[in-house]
Amino acid sequence: MTLGLGAGLGAMVVGPAFGGAAIDVQVAAQAREVADKSRPLSVLLPQGSRANLGPVAAAFTAQTGVKVTLKEVHIDQINAELMLNSVLGEAKYDVALPATFGVADLVAAGAIHPLDNYAARYEPKEFRNAMLYQEGDRFDGQTYGFQTDGDAYVMFYHREMLHDPDTQARYADRFGYSLATPNTWEELDRQIRFFNAPAAGRYGGLLFRTPGYLAWEWWVRFHAKGYWPLSPDMTPQIAEEAGITALEELIAITDCLVPETSSLGLFENWSRYAKGDVYCNIGWGGTQKYLNAPQSPMRGRMVHGPTPGGRVRNEVLPAPYFNWGWSFVVSTASTQKELGYLFALFAVTPAMSTLAVRQPDGFFDPYREEHYRDPGVQDAYSEPFLKVQRATLKGAIPDLYLKGQSEYFQTLGRGLDRALHGDVTPQVALTRVAQQWQLITSRAGRESQVKRWSQLRSKYPPDARRLLRDVA
């Protein structure tokens, strides 16, 4: 049930306060001082998040007198829309919520405004400490965003298939050990094959196989082999044995997935898994919100886990991965940058962000410590899921936050797709991707990219930094 604005604010944990008032109240007061109430504040947001941001915008208007207009665009187009707005020099949007993985490219294009000066003036001390994942908010030593969506990749398993006693006995007889949520991709692939029985109306998995999403699974599979994707000098290491094997394994398991998986987009994936005849799926908190809805056939019927890792030097290398998310940013074309910043700050305060995340019809996911204690958030997601998602956020491998991120990953996705469809071998596909990556790095400025990559490697979780290695 969606709580009304008044009920939502009264029921949640308000969080820290300063100056005798809750943070959101204080920020609203500061916004009133700088606002021109005759001018609306325009916010560009991804499709599906109006339900999250609508109550927050209403609260901001109620407290400041500033009208907030919300414009949604397709989730795969919002970064391009913001980039185009910058190129054209149009002040159409003051604030936007691009995908976090695109922040570096938006900075490089001059599309978004640095926030450090505003943060020094307005952000309470240690305000961001409660945010479990912050790696996408900064680029080249400056702050550009507020993470507002905890989009770590998470696995979904059909509880009844996984816990069925007869199934568990057959699995143990065949493989010699118990059926449980897998720790490695080898184990997951084995389980997908075991459960796949199309003649009986059951499928092993529903992993994404569209070019735009394909690279994410390969990225995790590759890291699980125990190698860095790029050497310290930005030489690609993806076309070596580990990368080729990871792609071969991805291709091999595709025959055990739902046949139409190669044509399913994000929301279609959720709808298909909800039918209840597929063992496993991969997704995010938005996936869980959909599948955990009161009307969903899969509500209460899932077990969750992090994305699988790999076995490296007799240890399991975990490979949780933050690969999406939405971030509040301020457009460089805006003529109300300070007010835009204050709206973003208002939206990510404990009270307002909790109000946003708990909305069952929106797809913002928990990312602040306060969210996990809120009954509305717990109801929307379920406590077992939140436990897994929270741990994943705290230990996630960051995305490739380099200039040219979209080029690197689009090139990778196209290469993987060609290999998946048999147009080229995995080795040829990855060799060509590696060659194109070298060109992307050269265009971006190799010396600068080397420094950025060094900084990004230092942000990997401790176990990953310890176990990942470079090709000799």
Side-chain angles (χ1 to χ4, degrees):
M1 179 178 68
T2 304
L3 295 175
L5 181 59
L9 293 177
M12 69 179 60
V13 176
V14 174
F18 67 104
I23 298 176
D24 54 293
V25 175
Q26 180 70 16
V27 174
Q30 293 165 330
R32 286 197 300 271
E33 295 178 4
V34 304
D36 176 354
K37 297 180 180 62
S38 66
R39 301 170 60 196
L41 193 71
S42 176
V43 181
L44 177 69
L45 64 155
Q47 178 186 358
S49 62
R50 182 182 291 271
N52 300 115
L53 204 56
V56 175
F60 188 77
T61 299
Q63 295 187 48
T64 65
V66 176
K67 181 181 178 181
V68 179
T69 61
L70 304 178
K71 179 180 178 180
E72 285 184 294
V73 296
H74 190 276
I75 57 173
D76 293 331
Q77 296 299 319
I78 185 166
N79 288 50
E81 172 70 14
L82 184 56
M83 192 85 74
L84 179 63
N85 181 60
S86 171
V87 171
L88 297 177
E90 298 176 348
K92 291 172 63 177
Y93 314 111
D94 300 297
V95 178
L97 283 85
T100 303
F101 57 72
V103 167
D105 284 344
L106 291 168
V107 173
I112 57 178
H113 189 71
L115 306 180
D116 294 281
N117 289 340
Y118 296 139
R121 181 176 177 185
Y122 291 115
E123 283 185 32
K125 186 179 180 181
E126 300 179 348
F127 172 75
R128 294 181 185 244
N129 287 3
M131 296 180 175
L132 299 181
Y133 183 86
Q134 303 180 38
E135 303 310 330
D137 290 341
R138 294 178 61 81
F139 183 70
D140 282 356
Q142 289 189 293
T143 303
Y144 287 91
F146 286 107
Q147 184 64 57
T148 192
D149 181 22
D151 262 341
Y153 237 175
V154 176
M155 295 299 304
F156 299 77
Y157 303 99
H158 199 305
R159 182 186 298 277
E160 292 147 40
M161 295 186 193
L162 183 63
H163 288 173
D164 177 68
D166 292 339
T167 301
Q168 289 185 330
R170 287 191 295 107
Y171 190 89
D173 287 344
R174 182 179 303 183
F175 299 111
Y177 49 86
S178 300
L179 175 63
T181 53
N183 291 317
T184 67
W185 284 98
E186 180 183 12
E187 294 170 6
L188 175 61
D189 289 348
R190 183 183 296 119
Q191 291 179 10
I192 290 174
R193 290 190 177 92
F194 175 80
F195 279 107
N196 192 54
R202 186 180 70 232
Y203 297 94
L206 187 62
L207 309 179
F208 290 102
R209 287 294 179 268
T210 54
Y213 293 176
L214 188 60
W216 285 328
E217 182 185 327
W218 180 86
W219 194 248
V220 183
R221 285 180 179 268
F222 173 80
H223 277 83
K225 298 293 184 185
Y227 290 92
W228 294 100
L230 298 154
S231 72
D233 67 359
M234 286 293 293
T235 299
Q237 303 185 139
I238 58 174
E240 306 294 337
E241 180 181 356
I244 295 167
T245 302
L247 179 50
E248 289 172 343
E249 291 170 353
L250 181 152
I251 293 170
I253 203 60
T254 301
D255 288 341
C256 296
L257 305 180
V258 173
E260 63 266 32
T261 190
S262 62
S263 64
L264 298 179
L266 180 66
F267 303 124
E268 293 83 5
N269 171 283
W270 300 354
S271 177
R272 179 62 185 84
Y273 190 69
K275 292 183 178 181
D277 59 348
V278 183
Y279 170 59
C280 75
N281 197 9
I282 195 168
W284 304 265
T287 314
Q288 172 67 4
K289 247 181 189 174
Y290 180 93
L291 296 172
N292 192 53
Q295 69 274 18
S296 169
M298 286 300 292
R299 181 179 172 92
R301 300 173 63 195
M302 294 171 291
V303 176
H304 307 96
T307 47
R311 196 164 292 279
V312 177
R313 298 195 290 275
N314 297 318
E315 290 187 56
V316 172
L317 167 61
Y321 176 39
F322 190 100
N323 62 338
W324 204 329
W326 305 109
S327 294
F328 281 103
V329 300
V330 174
S331 170
T332 52
S334 170
T335 58
Q336 303 184 89
K337 294 184 180 66
E338 189 169 9
L339 181 62
Y341 165 84
L342 287 168
F343 173 78
L345 178 60
F346 177 85
V348 299
T349 57
M352 290 297 110
S353 63
T354 303
L355 177 63
V357 167
R358 63 160 42 165
Q359 301 302 317
D361 295 328
F363 303 123
F364 286 2
D365 301 321
Y367 62 95
R368 289 188 66 96
E369 291 284 5
E370 297 91 349
H371 299 161
Y372 298 89
R373 302 192 293 267
D374 179 72
V377 173
Q378 293 168 359
D379 181 65
Y381 290 92
S382 82
E383 292 189 58
F385 174 85
L386 290 174
K387 181 179 179 181
V388 172
Q389 189 260 0
R390 180 178 180 274
T392 298
L393 277 185
K394 290 175 71 70
I397 290 172
D399 210 337
L400 190 66
Y401 300 131
L402 303 178
K403 182 180 179 180
Q405 191 275 352
S406 60
E407 282 193 271
Y408 287 114
F409 262 72
Q410 287 171 11
T411 299
L412 176 60
R414 288 192 295 267
L416 298 175
D417 189 59
R418 293 197 66 200
L420 178 65
H421 286 90
D423 297 334
V424 294
T425 66
Q427 181 173 6
V428 169
L430 290 171
T431 298
R432 290 177 179 174
V433 171
Q435 291 168 346
Q436 290 173 296
W437 277 17
Q438 291 279 40
L439 296 175
I440 295 168
T441 298
S442 296
R443 289 196 297 270
R446 185 170 298 274
E447 184 177 347
S448 296
Q449 293 289 77
V450 167
K451 292 178 182 177
R452 292 168 182 144
W453 176 231
S454 176
Q455 287 294 314
L456 192 58
R457 282 171 65 133
S458 73
K459 301 299 183 182
Y460 271 62
D463 281 343
R465 294 200 307 271
R466 180 172 57 84
L467 290 172
L468 291 176
R469 56 200 186 276
D470 292 298
V471 176

